[in-house]
Amino acid sequence: EVQLVESGGGLVQPGGSLRLSCAASGFTFSGYWMHWVRQDPGKGLVWVSRINGDGSSTSYADSVKGRFTISRDNAKNTLYLQMNSLRVEDTAVYYCARASRYSGSYSGYWGQGTLVTVSS
Amino acid sequence: EIVLTQSPATLSLSPGERATLSCRASQSVNSYLAWYQQKPGQAPRLLVYDASNRATDIPARFSGSGSGTDFTLTISSLEPEDFAVYYCQQRSNWPLTFGGGTKVEIK
């Protein structure tokens, strides 16, 4: 069974940093693209970033480019999102998602999310 | 960036009725569009990929259609568990983008 468990969320002040982790199990982690998608409380979904299977290729939404870094440790089956220079508008539930079997750019499995609150 | 506009924002229907949800893209995405369902307090679930293909274990009452800029998700006969928010997502261009969602609520 595919499982994705996010951790690392919490309250941080504007300008601060946070690192999210996503522990994966139940599948060959290195074989799939992985994504981070966020959701403002009570609002819609926003794609944040993706990384390919071996970590050699990444993409970011313009709103986080230069501030967030996606990475993965295939030996630990773990996905990361390093978030620096956080802004109030980064407040959201952050989901990690595994690419679907149909396309790397669709998310077939999702974690339950971790809440990041940026506030002074 | 491709903008996806979903309509209506809210659809009020009764169980057994047919639901028709729309997703319009600001430029052609070919058939590279997916639909997701999200229930309160839960993560999204992939329903349809590449416009018209049901994902694994998705009931046949869910069907997708369209290409280019106009897409439709149809739920042929609403079951109680189908009342949720539905999102479309395109993979034609980076960055990936989602629509704003359509809430299907019980009338």
Side-chain angles (χ1 to χ4, degrees):
Chain A
E1 179 192 5
V2 172
Q3 287 198 326
L4 300 168
V5 180
E6 300 96 337
S7 61
L11 175 63
V12 62
Q13 291 188 338
S17 298
L18 214 53
R19 188 175 84 155
L20 305 183
S21 299
C22 172
S25 61
F27 64 100
T28 304
F29 183 64
S30 60
Y32 290 88
W33 285 19
M34 297 293 295
H35 299 265
W36 288 100
V37 178
R38 70 186 184 188
Q39 185 168 34
D40 293 0
K43 295 194 176 179
L45 301 168
V46 177
W47 174 80
V48 173
S49 183
R50 70 92 189 168
I51 188 168
N52 69 344
D54 65 8
S56 61
S57 174
T58 59
S59 300
Y60 298 91
D62 286 346
S63 59
V64 307
K65 203 172 293 183
R67 300 187 299 122
F68 289 13
T69 302
I70 190 172
S71 62
R72 64 192 299 160
D73 185 335
N74 287 344
K76 295 182 178 179
N77 288 350
T78 302
L79 175 73
Y80 302 101
L81 185 69
Q82 177 66 45
M83 304 187 294
N84 298 331
S85 303
L86 282 161
R87 305 168 179 167
V88 170
E89 54 265 34
D90 294 320
T91 295
V93 173
Y94 284 74
Y95 293 101
C96 77
R98 195 205 82 176
S100 75
R101 54 194 281 195
Y102 315 110
S103 163
S105 299
Y106 297 141
S107 294
Y109 292 90
W110 300 63
Q112 283 305 302
T114 186
L115 177 62
V116 172
T117 303
V118 185
S119 174
S120 55
Chain B
E1 167 174 319
I2 295 177
V3 176
L4 299 178
T5 302
Q6 291 188 241
S7 62
T10 304
L11 199 50
S12 298
L13 294 168
S14 301
E17 290 193 292
R18 182 185 189 89
T20 304
L21 289 67
S22 174
C23 177
R24 176 164 289 176
S26 59
Q27 64 188 76
S28 176
V29 298
N30 297 296
S31 293
Y32 300 137
L33 189 107
W35 291 92
Y36 298 84
Q37 176 194 66
Q38 187 179 33
K39 298 179 182 179
Q42 296 186 17
R45 176 174 71 146
L46 179 66
L47 298 176
V48 170
Y49 66 95
D50 288 348
S52 60
N53 301 285
R54 272 190 304 277
T56 303
D57 295 331
I58 301 304
R61 64 181 181 272
F62 291 92
S63 63
S65 63
S67 66
T69 61
D70 290 301
F71 299 86
T72 300
L73 176 71
T74 301
I75 311 171
S76 59
S77 178
L78 282 163
E79 296 287 338
E81 62 268 28
D82 299 336
F83 291 92
V85 180
Y86 294 83
Y87 295 95
C88 55
Q89 180 228 317
Q90 64 82 23
R91 70 172 181 96
S92 176
N93 281 24
W94 296 96
L96 305 180
T97 50
F98 289 88
T102 291
K103 181 180 182 180
V104 178
E105 66 176 22
I106 300 176
K107 187 173 181 180

